[in-house]
């Protein structure tokens, strides 16, 4: 077959598109038979572990070595548990505990669940050093603000995850931590010198590579110390010169979502994809927002056209395809070897029983136990005693969430406290609820009466409206309990509880402390169908 006859298949092999639905669409199944190398799952594709296992069985029936990817950080960013919230603590909480063996255990536990559901590539761990507290998109997704701490936990996460047969993916290369811009919306500038990057941002990526990480995700970041013109995703100097040659990474390089404004605003989806491949990327992640066959067609055809025109060398495309297929083969072999996956071939056929995947009621006992170790409590000199006396009133301050975390995942303390202390009441306030209000304390105190007051915040240091409201409320109720479920930059309240994240497991752990319970790991609620 001539190169021109092969081109559609080769171009499809480097795509990792998303799609809509909880079963494999016809177009995805057709594409897998025609060379598609992988797919990316999102929260919209997940109802239960058994359903995901059936979905991945359908995909694998068309192409056994298909890469099935998901963005499951086991923290605030969760897809596999998006309907309830993660039953694991998340990176910042693990970094606060600073027990690499525990991090490896949590990642191994996560890997087993993902492998049982037929997932082979996890876009995790986040290897960014979050040394800018104003960062709007990383925050609690990072293990911490210190390079060596982040590095040892990144390596531990990679080891645990990959031991279960799921490929890890260190992101967002060369480091998205020190910025105040979200690359979903614009192109962040990383202004450090070569020496600073080498001493901070690159340290966790070196550790991930030394731990054998199978893939690295690019960040849509402008890093002038290496390339003054092109973002990292499109920069050969960064992807080949730095990542391949200097750091010695030989695995799969995958883009962050190619539709993000950090690259698509200037180059368009197809233009960014072609430039990324030419620069050294091996796989294009797309479909968070453009989850349709037409987008996949446009990308495939643009890649093929770029080879025909000479813009994308044929050898470079073949190299990318070889890396995609090598990773697919590794995950298939590794999961078979470890026995983590037992999907019946017949599961792809209508009416035939599917894999007995982890039950929908399962939560991670390892995760709940780890979450309890992360909680930090600070009591003011004249602060109230814990546990609280009686059912509290809970007020949750809800800032706008970034796209990476999503809006579908529940969080907070109202629900877990109500489960432990019947009679607990709660409400949630946004900036719009308090906009223009002369009395900021009034809406918060309404309904509290003389009961214990619990104020739940996320990254209060980044949201002026929360900080001002908190000051006004504490002037009236200095005995209030403040629960910070983001980065704990400031301590306030009669009691301050830092959870280092807003996962379900961390919320449960904080609620247990407030209620005075030394409870065993709670059973997860059924995932709604």
């Amino acid at each position: 077959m001539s190169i021109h006859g092969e081109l559609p298949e080769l171009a499809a092999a480097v795509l990792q598109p998303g799609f809509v639905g909880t079963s494999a669409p016809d177009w995805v199944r057709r594409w897998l038979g025609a060379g598609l190398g992988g797919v990316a799952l999102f929260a919209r594709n997940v109802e239960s572990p058994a359903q995901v296992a059936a979905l991945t069985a359908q995909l694998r029936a068309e192409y056994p070595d298909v890469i099935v990817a998901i963005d499951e950080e086991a923290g605030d960013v969760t897809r596999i548990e998006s309907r309830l919230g993660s039953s694991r603590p998340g990176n910042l909480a693990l970094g606060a505990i600073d027990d690499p063996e525990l991090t490896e255990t949590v990642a191994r536990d996560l890997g087993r669940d993902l492998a049982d559901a037929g997932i082979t590539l996890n876009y995790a761990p986040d290897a960014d050093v979050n040394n800018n507290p104003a960062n709007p998109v990383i925050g609690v997704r990072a293990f911490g603000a210190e390079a060596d701490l982040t590095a040892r936990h990144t390596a531990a996460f990679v080891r645990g995850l990959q031991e279960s047969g799921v490929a890890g993916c260190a992101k967002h290369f060369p480091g998205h931590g020190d910025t105040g811009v979200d690359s979903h919306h614009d192109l962040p500038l990383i202004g450090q010198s070569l020496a600073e990057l080498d001493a901070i941002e690159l340290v966790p990526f070196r550790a991930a590579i030394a731990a054998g990480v199978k893939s690295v995700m690019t960040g849509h970041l402008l890093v002038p110390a290496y390339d003054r013109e092109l973002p990292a995703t499109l920069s050969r100097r960064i992807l080949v010169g730095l990542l391949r040659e200097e750091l010695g990474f030989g695995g799969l390089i995958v883009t962050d979502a190619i539709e993000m404004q950090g690259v698509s605003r200037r180059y368009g989806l197809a233009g960014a994809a072609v430039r990324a491949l030419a620069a050294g990327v091996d796989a294009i992640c797309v479909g968070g927002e453009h989850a349709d066959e037409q987008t996949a067609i446009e990308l495939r055809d643009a890649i093929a056209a770029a080879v025909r025109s000479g813009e994308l060398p044929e050898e470079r495309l073949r190299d990318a395809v070889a890396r995609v297929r090598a990773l697919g083969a590794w995950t298939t072999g590794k999961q078979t070897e470890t026995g983590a996956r037992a999907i019946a071939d017949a599961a792809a056929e209508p009416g035939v029983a599917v894999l007995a995947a982890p039950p929908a009621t399962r939560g991670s006992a390892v995760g709940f136990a780890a979450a309890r170790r992360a909680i930090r409590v600070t009591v003011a000199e004249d602060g109230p005693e814990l546990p609280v006396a009686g059912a509290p009133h809970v007020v949750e301050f809800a800032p706008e969430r970034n796209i990476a975390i999503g809006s579908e995942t529940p969080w907070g303390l109202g629900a877990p406290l109500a489960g432990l202390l019947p009679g607990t009441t709660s409400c949630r306030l946004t900036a719009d609820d308090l906009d223009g209000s002369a009395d900021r304390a009034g809406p918060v105190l309404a309904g509290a009466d003389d009961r214990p007051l619990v104020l739940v915040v996320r990254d209060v240091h980044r949201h002026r409206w929360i900080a001002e409201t908190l000051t006004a409320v504490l002037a009236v109720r200095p005995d209030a309990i403040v629960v910070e479920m983001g980065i704990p930059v400031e301590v306030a309240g009669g009691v301050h509880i830092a959870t280092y994240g807003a996962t379900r497991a961390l919320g449960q752990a904080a609620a247990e402390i407030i209620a005075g319970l030394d409870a065993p790991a709670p059973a997860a609620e059924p995932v709604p169908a």
Side-chain angles (χ1 to χ4, degrees):
M1 182 183 293
S2 69
I3 176 60
H4 296 297
E6 288 182 281
L7 272 178
E9 179 178 345
L10 293 173
V14 299
L15 299 181
Q16 292 181 0
F19 56 86
V20 176
T22 53
S23 61
D26 288 343
W27 75 267
V28 171
R29 299 178 74 166
R30 289 197 318 271
W31 276 59
L32 286 170
L36 182 64
V39 298
L41 302 185
F42 295 84
R44 63 178 176 241
N45 305 119
V46 176
E47 284 183 350
S48 70
Q51 166 267 317
V52 176
L55 165 59
T56 59
Q58 288 181 309
L59 299 171
R60 201 151 280 110
E62 304 296 337
Y63 176 34
D65 287 350
V66 59
I67 294 173
V68 183
I70 199 168
D71 191 2
E72 179 56 52
E73 296 177 9
D76 287 24
V77 175
T78 179
R79 310 300 181 221
I80 206 73
E81 294 189 280
S82 63
R83 295 183 174 219
L84 292 176
S86 177
S87 57
R88 298 176 176 89
N91 283 4
L92 189 66
L94 291 170
I97 299 168
D98 197 13
D99 179 352
E101 290 186 7
L102 176 64
T103 297
E104 186 170 340
T105 299
V106 170
R108 186 182 302 112
D109 180 64
L110 170 66
R112 287 169 181 160
D113 282 355
L114 296 180
D116 284 346
I119 292 165
T120 61
L121 170 61
N122 188 12
Y123 296 141
D126 191 311
D128 299 311
V129 181
N130 195 69
N131 50 2
N132 183 345
N135 195 312
V137 67
I138 303 302
V140 299
R141 301 168 62 195
F143 288 109
E146 196 270 327
D148 289 340
L149 179 145
T150 303
R152 59 179 171 265
H153 288 279
T154 296
F157 196 104
V158 167
R159 288 193 298 269
L161 187 68
Q162 294 190 169
E163 185 177 311
S164 299
V166 177
C169 182
K171 63 185 183 186
H172 307 80
F173 188 81
H176 204 319
D178 194 4
T179 177
V181 174
D182 183 347
S183 53
H184 288 90
H185 305 300
D186 209 339
L187 180 62
L189 172 69
I190 308 297
Q192 287 92 333
S193 66
L194 286 174
E196 290 169 333
L197 290 166
D198 186 68
I200 301 175
E201 273 72 20
L202 297 182
V203 175
F205 290 99
R206 285 197 194 90
I209 293 168
V213 71
K214 293 296 179 180
S215 67
V216 169
M217 176 176 282
T218 67
H220 303 325
L221 312 162
L222 187 63
V223 190
Y226 287 104
D227 194 323
R228 294 182 176 276
E229 302 294 330
L230 296 170
T233 298
L234 313 182
S235 171
R236 187 171 180 80
R237 170 67 187 93
I238 292 174
L239 301 184
V240 176
L242 176 59
L243 182 55
R244 292 284 190 217
E245 296 175 356
E246 292 186 31
L247 301 188
F249 178 64
L252 186 84
I253 301 176
V254 59
T255 68
D256 205 346
I258 206 71
E259 61 259 58
M260 290 164 60
Q261 293 297 306
V263 290
S264 66
R265 177 176 295 171
R266 178 174 178 182
Y267 301 99
L269 266 65
V274 168
R275 287 169 170 81
L277 289 164
V281 156
D282 304 307
I284 306 296
C285 173
V286 65
E289 299 173 46
H290 298 271
D292 57 276
E293 184 178 13
Q294 186 57 41
T295 296
I297 290 172
E298 291 174 5
L299 292 178
R300 180 197 62 191
D301 291 353
I303 293 166
V307 174
R308 294 188 188 100
S309 70
E311 181 183 359
L312 175 61
E314 176 190 337
E315 182 181 4
R316 169 78 272 275
L317 179 60
R318 288 188 180 277
D319 174 62
V321 172
R323 293 180 192 275
V324 168
R325 290 175 176 164
L327 181 61
W330 178 86
T331 57
T332 300
K334 184 69 172 176
Q335 290 192 0
T336 301
E337 171 194 325
T338 60
R341 191 169 45 82
I343 301 175
D345 292 339
E349 299 301 324
V352 180
V354 299
L355 163 74
T361 56
R362 180 182 178 185
S364 171
V366 169
F368 280 113
R372 294 189 184 96
R373 291 181 57 184
I375 306 299
R376 301 290 184 269
V377 181
T378 304
V379 181
E381 189 172 328
D382 56 349
E385 294 185 1
L386 291 178
V388 296
H393 181 61
V394 181
V395 182
E396 297 165 346
F397 297 86
E400 183 178 350
R401 282 193 269 185
N402 65 62
I403 294 174
I405 293 175
S407 59
E408 69 280 347
T409 306
W411 67 279
L413 262 70
L417 274 172
L420 296 173
L421 297 172
T424 295
T425 57
S426 64
C427 67
R428 181 164 289 183
L429 298 175
T430 67
D432 290 341
D433 295 326
L434 297 170
D435 187 34
S437 175
D439 177 18
R440 285 190 170 271
V444 179
L445 296 172
D449 301 322
D450 294 325
R451 292 188 294 157
L453 179 62
V454 180
L455 308 173
V456 186
V457 298
R458 294 176 79 167
D459 289 343
V460 65
H461 65 284
R462 291 201 304 110
H463 302 283
R464 183 176 177 180
W465 70 272
I466 299 179
E468 291 178 348
T469 305
L470 202 60
T471 298
V473 173
L474 291 176
V476 180
R477 288 289 303 269
D479 62 322
I481 298 169
V482 176
V483 181
E484 172 61 85
M485 302 194 81
I487 299 178
V489 173
E490 301 174 3
V491 174
V495 173
H496 184 271
I497 300 176
T499 64
Y500 300 93
T503 74
R504 174 166 55 106
L506 291 168
Q508 180 69 31
E512 289 171 3
I513 289 174
I514 293 170
L517 299 182
D518 185 16
E525 299 175 28
V527 177

